[in-house]
Amino acid sequence: MAICLGVDTGGTYTDAVLLRDEAQVLASAKALTTRDDLALGIGRAVRSVLDEAGVAPADVAMAALSTTLATNALVEGQGGRVALVLIGFAERDLAAHGLAEALGGDPVLMLAGGHSHAGAEVAPLDLEALADWAAGQQVSAFAVAAQFATRNPAHEQAAREALRRVTGRPVSCSYELSARLGGPKRALTALLNARLIGLTHRLILRAGEVLAEMGLSAPLMVVRGDGALMSAEQAQARPIETILSGPAASLVGARWLTGADTALVSDIGGTTTDIALLRGGMPAIDPAGAQVGRWRTMVEAVAMRTHGLGGDSEVHVVQAGLAGGVTLGPRRLIPVCLVASEAPQVVHDALDRAARSPVPGEHDARFVRAVPGQDRGGLGAREEALLARIGGALHPLGEVLRTRLDGQALGRLVARGLVQVAGVTPTDAVHVLGRVGDWDAEASKKALALMARRRVGSGARLAETPGALAEMIVAGMTRATGLALLETAFAEDGWEGSPGDLARHPLMQAGLAGHEGLVDLRARVAVPVVGLGASARCYYPAVGEWLGAETVLPDLGGVANAIGAVVGRVAMRRSGVVTAPAEGRFRVHLEEGPQDFGSAEDALSALETALTAKTRAAAEAAGATGISVHLERQVKTAEAEGREIFIEAEITAEASGRPRITREGDGA
């Protein structure tokens, strides 16, 4: 019998579970996520679950980690400062797929070079100019994308070697992340991958150190965005593949917990709500590539919609209009009740001082603290000065910000993950309403009382009491979650038009309300909604009631991600293409360069052999056993003058197996 450990690091909580033979949950535990060093929260959760189950660390046969780190970093605009090298592209390509926006002012170098669609060099690559430019860049990593690199990656490979030699920094090449065409989108994927390398490397390195200190020597696996497992080393090299890792694990966990065949699975965390459809018990893979927040990548991941909506979403006061109101997200804040439990005197003194003021302040119930141990390279003088002012303590935000320019500098520090802001969140609202009592509910009540004093367009207060404001915030969360579920349902049903517009259409809203008149309208979500996440029970009963849907809240839904991490399989996919640059010539596009064959079948067989070897080696490196390889051919042909003409073929290979178990025993 084997005992396996599953760990999930979310925006607020880190969860751990122990499973025996993937069939029985022995114990589960939660600890607060420690954003400055995620491994500390991992260690606390793992120690708790081992103690609860009475299992020795040495008896754990395998450990698997799912994480929302990459997803949350992209949603919140965080990550390291990086540099992008574009080879063979035009300036206008920077505007494609949000590439310029994703750069956010980080350096970019555009060089001549690249290849044609047939894999022939278009122009030579100036490696000397690249080396001179790179030597002056203060960045955490580089991203490289060359025109048609999927047909011939030689220029990306040469640039990578030059950058490593000159700077010693990690380099993310686009051809290693996707075999598909679409240069700007592939460049975006490489850029985001580079931005995540430092974050992911620190997480996995520290997690391994903490587990080793506890005496846990089992191999560490990481969940990919498609729900499959990869080795820790592979995740460090390709962190972009871990976007939607946590949500993908939650789908696997939801199926294991509920046995659901068809259902909308909605996982609410601190930062995001992730929604996907289980059909036939399996999540679909998004053919367009994973979308996280504003970014559409080329990463294979579950078809999931990620919304910047969670228990720790920032609450914004809407002062326009007579009635006013609140909106939520997408930025995550630390709940006031949480920082008050850690620094009660600072928080309560500031809240009481603000309450004595006759006029609401712009920064009432807001606090700021630095996140130690992060990369500070490339900061400007104003950011450095503000960071020094914050120091190592928690401060009321109004005491730190002295000018409007300081506010802009703070935004940049938050985007870099160097500081955290605390403020009113839905978590504070449910503390005020008594639905949870994990932290300092009195601090939440004081914070909501301050926010309730704000004036709306009519001149009236936003709310008369903290409780009334809490109800308003929870109602906003209920509506936003319901709309997100409807949006996913419309998208999966294939309706024409924007799923978001359809979800918000007056006829849809009237149908949900059961409108009666000359035309009676009835609408509901016709499949069960599985609610996952620690706070799901606070919101999802009302969401299900509004949508007219059956709501399933599994007992262990709060640790579904950690369960999904344990019960996943290792799967490695690689794709390649065969083209026909001339009649009777069939070209296989390999990493080593193009190779020509005299027949289509010879070319296809050569590509299948190469992909089989590559995927099998990747699966073995990930620690898989019992590996099987599945090949899929997609051949495009055309008919001309009565004969079939070969146009192009794509072959996909998938090698899958179970994670290798290093130790077996009853764990007792």
Side-chain angles (χ1 to χ4, degrees):
M1 292 182 289
I3 294 177
C4 296
L5 169 70
V7 179
D8 174 69
T9 60
T12 304
Y13 288 109
T14 294
D15 305 326
V17 297
L18 285 174
L19 267 72
R20 189 195 302 272
D21 293 333
E22 299 180 16
Q24 177 191 3
V25 176
L26 298 177
S28 65
K30 285 181 174 290
L32 281 174
T33 294
T34 45
R35 294 289 285 254
D36 54 328
D37 185 352
L38 293 172
L40 297 179
I42 291 173
R44 290 166 188 161
V46 172
R47 287 187 187 92
S48 294
V49 79
L50 291 172
D51 289 345
E52 183 180 335
V55 170
D59 289 332
V60 174
M62 195 243 334
L65 172 70
S66 75
T67 175
T68 60
L69 175 66
T71 306
N72 292 348
L74 296 186
V75 168
E76 298 179 57
Q78 295 183 359
R81 175 178 165 85
V82 299
L84 174 64
V85 179
L86 289 176
I87 302 170
F89 290 93
E91 287 282 349
R92 64 178 179 274
D93 292 320
L94 280 173
H97 298 285
L99 193 51
E101 184 183 1
L103 273 166
D106 285 356
V108 59
L109 174 67
M110 306 195 74
L111 293 171
H115 293 77
S116 70
H117 70 281
E121 185 179 77
V122 171
L125 176 62
D126 190 344
L127 290 174
E128 185 175 343
L130 172 63
D132 290 343
W133 173 82
Q137 303 305 319
Q138 293 184 339
V139 295
S140 62
F142 290 86
V144 178
Q147 191 77 276
F148 285 107
T150 54
R151 298 296 170 85
N152 190 335
H155 282 184
E156 285 195 12
Q157 292 168 341
R160 176 182 60 200
E161 296 311 310
L163 290 168
R164 284 176 175 171
R165 184 179 66 253
V166 172
T167 70
R169 294 292 187 180
V171 181
S172 170
C173 289
S174 77
Y175 83 92
E176 294 180 309
L177 301 172
S178 176
R180 294 157 56 192
L181 297 177
K185 188 174 176 182
R186 205 173 61 250
L188 173 67
T189 304
L191 173 67
L192 297 178
N193 188 66
R195 203 178 291 290
L196 295 170
I197 285 174
L199 291 172
T200 307
H201 183 81
R202 285 194 295 273
L203 167 62
I204 293 174
L205 184 67
R206 286 288 296 124
E209 290 173 350
V210 168
L211 294 178
E213 289 168 4
M214 296 167 55
L216 199 152
S217 59
L220 179 62
M221 310 292 289
V222 179
V223 181
R224 285 204 320 249
D226 60 0
L229 297 173
M230 64 198 304
S231 70
E233 293 75 18
Q234 290 167 332
Q236 286 175 307
R238 302 158 75 104
I240 191 71
E241 293 188 3
T242 69
I243 61 172
L244 301 182
S245 161
S250 75
L251 285 174
V252 178
R255 167 69 172 174
W256 191 89
L257 286 169
T258 67
D261 189 63
T262 303
L264 282 170
V265 179
S266 184
D267 183 7
I268 179 171
T271 307
T272 61
T273 293
D274 307 301
I275 303 173
L277 178 68
L278 276 180
R279 202 191 299 269
M282 297 292 293
I285 300 299
D286 193 337
Q291 170 127 20
V292 180
R294 296 165 289 174
W295 316 123
R296 172 69 75 176
T297 71
M298 280 188 164
V299 176
E300 285 192 350
V302 292
M304 180 169 290
R305 290 177 175 263
T306 297
H307 303 263
L309 179 71
D312 299 344
S313 289
E314 180 176 12
V315 176
H316 304 270
V317 175
V318 179
Q319 295 180 292
L322 293 178
V326 296
T327 60
L328 304 175
R331 189 170 71 160
R332 176 185 183 269
L333 300 183
I334 308 299
V336 174
C337 54
L338 174 53
V339 292
S341 68
E342 298 172 344
Q345 185 167 351
V346 172
V347 173
H348 281 279
D349 285 353
L351 295 173
D352 293 341
R353 191 163 53 248
R356 290 192 293 269
S357 172
V359 180
E362 180 183 1
H363 303 304
D364 284 354
R366 294 251 170 163
F367 302 87
V368 63
R369 66 186 182 193
V371 180
Q374 305 300 303
D375 180 10
R376 297 169 57 164
L379 289 181
R382 186 171 294 276
E383 287 82 10
E384 288 281 11
L386 184 59
L387 203 53
R389 198 180 306 155
I390 295 170
L394 179 76
H395 299 273
L397 186 58
E399 295 180 2
V400 171
L401 299 184
R402 298 171 181 172
T403 67
R404 291 289 179 185
L405 292 177
D406 281 346
Q408 296 171 9
L410 177 70
R412 291 188 288 271
L413 290 174
V414 170
R416 288 283 301 275
L418 293 169
V419 302
Q420 294 175 319
V421 175
V424 173
T425 68
T427 297
D428 290 297
V430 293
H431 272 76
V432 169
L433 296 174
R435 298 186 185 180
V436 295
D438 296 338
W439 302 312
D440 191 335
E442 184 61 26
S444 293
K445 187 175 181 179
K446 290 179 180 180
L448 265 69
L450 290 171
M451 180 174 279
R453 298 194 308 171
R454 304 278 289 273
R455 300 288 172 175
V456 298
S458 66
R461 289 166 55 102
L462 174 64
E464 289 302 316
T465 65
L469 178 56
E471 294 283 6
M472 186 186 301
I473 293 169
V474 171
M477 174 68 87
T478 299
R479 177 172 173 79
T481 303
L483 289 173
L485 284 159
L486 285 173
E487 187 175 323
T488 301
F490 277 120
E492 292 292 341
D493 267 350
W495 286 67
E496 291 186 11
S498 162
D501 291 344
L502 290 168
R504 291 164 177 79
H505 196 281
L507 288 176
M508 184 67 211
Q509 298 303 306
L512 290 172
H515 174 80
E516 294 181 352
L518 295 177
V519 177
D520 282 352
L521 295 173
R522 299 288 186 275
R524 68 183 182 90
V525 170
V527 299
V529 172
V530 178
L532 304 176
S535 62
R537 293 182 184 275
C538 294
Y539 310 109
Y540 279 73
V543 172
E545 183 179 352
W546 181 45
L547 298 178
E550 176 191 354
T551 305
V552 180
L553 300 171
D555 290 339
L556 291 171
V559 293
N561 298 30
I563 291 172
V566 173
V567 299
R569 290 177 62 84
V570 175
M572 294 291 159
R573 277 184 293 276
R574 300 288 186 271
S575 296
V577 294
V578 175
T579 59
E583 187 171 358
R585 186 147 52 103
F586 303 91
R587 180 164 293 171
V588 180
H589 297 274
L590 302 171
E591 287 188 15
E592 299 76 19
Q595 293 183 19
D596 290 345
F597 294 83
S599 75
E601 187 56 40
D602 286 347
L604 292 169
S605 296
L607 180 55
E608 287 179 344
T609 299
L611 291 175
T612 297
K614 189 174 292 294
T615 54
R616 182 177 289 277
E620 288 174 350
T625 60
I627 298 171
S628 61
V629 180
H630 173 72
L631 295 166
E632 182 179 332
R633 287 186 181 185
Q634 291 183 327
V635 181
K636 297 178 183 177
T637 61
E639 194 165 316
E641 298 180 352
R643 61 193 187 100
E644 191 175 60
I645 306 297
F646 178 95
I647 304 298
E648 185 176 291
E650 180 177 10
I651 295 176
T652 300
E654 178 177 288
S656 62
R658 285 296 306 143
R660 183 178 296 113
I661 303 298
T662 58
R663 179 189 295 267
E664 293 191 353
D666 60 12

